[in-house]
Amino acid sequence: MSMTFDAYMRDVIQPMRDELTRLGVKELRTPEEVTENLENAKGTALVVVNSVCGCAAGNCRPGVAQALQHEVVPDHLFTVFAGQDKEATAKAREYFAPYPPSSPSIALMKDGQLVHFIQRHSIEDRTASEIAAELKGIFDEYCRG
């Protein structure tokens, strides 16, 4: 029995999804889920644009994981997967204007408004610890009572 390419890709991608969802990050797989969750997220919301690239694996996801160990974290945690859930990712990116599409990337929103955005170029040249430090700083700034 041969596996289709799509099934193969799902199997390859699933651990990349699980790396965030096991931390309590909610996957948004459709544009409707993005709209419903981001527009109704009172307080702060972290949105991670996940991807299959090496900097997502080596820097972005581990940096997010480290940052979520901080005593202050956002009220809501979301992720979309670039290249996989294309429509959901496109919808999420509408909330990140004026920044161009970037994956991976990390957004912090407060009451539906973008307050901080980390683009790919600020992820790929930094360590997970450096990314976590930046995130902890913005959590302290925007996520305290």
Side-chain angles (χ1 to χ4, degrees):
M1 182 173 185
S2 67
M3 189 188 281
T4 68
F5 182 73
D6 285 343
Y8 170 78
M9 286 308 294
R10 274 195 302 276
D11 288 349
V12 169
I13 305 285
Q14 194 59 49
M16 298 175 199
R17 292 179 183 278
D18 295 345
E19 202 172 332
L20 290 174
T21 58
R22 74 170 173 252
L23 300 171
V25 181
K26 180 179 180 178
E27 266 193 315
L28 306 178
R29 309 270 316 248
T30 68
E32 295 77 16
E33 287 178 353
V34 169
T35 300
E36 179 184 334
N37 283 278
L38 295 188
E39 296 199 356
N40 294 313
K42 296 296 178 219
T44 53
L46 186 73
V47 184
V48 179
V49 179
N50 200 353
S51 81
V52 298
C53 73
C55 63
N59 310 13
C60 184
R61 292 190 301 266
V64 169
Q66 288 177 33
L68 293 178
Q69 300 302 310
H70 194 50
E71 65 267 14
V72 178
V73 295
D75 300 311
H76 308 278
L77 306 171
F78 302 119
T79 183
V80 293
F81 207 112
Q84 300 301 309
D85 301 322
K86 294 179 176 129
E87 295 83 8
T89 303
K91 187 64 181 174
R93 286 175 170 154
E94 291 177 13
Y95 293 89
F96 307 153
Y99 295 98
S102 178
S103 57
S105 59
I106 307 166
L108 184 70
M109 302 178 72
K110 186 162 188 170
D111 296 325
Q113 299 299 309
L114 183 68
V115 294
H116 194 86
F117 192 69
I118 304 173
Q119 299 178 77
R120 178 189 174 109
H121 69 78
S122 295
I123 292 172
E124 60 191 350
D125 295 332
R126 295 164 69 207
T127 66
S129 295
E130 290 169 330
I131 294 163
E134 179 176 350
L135 288 170
K136 290 174 188 178
I138 64 167
F139 294 172
D140 284 342
E141 183 176 348
Y142 293 103
C143 303
R144 291 196 182 270

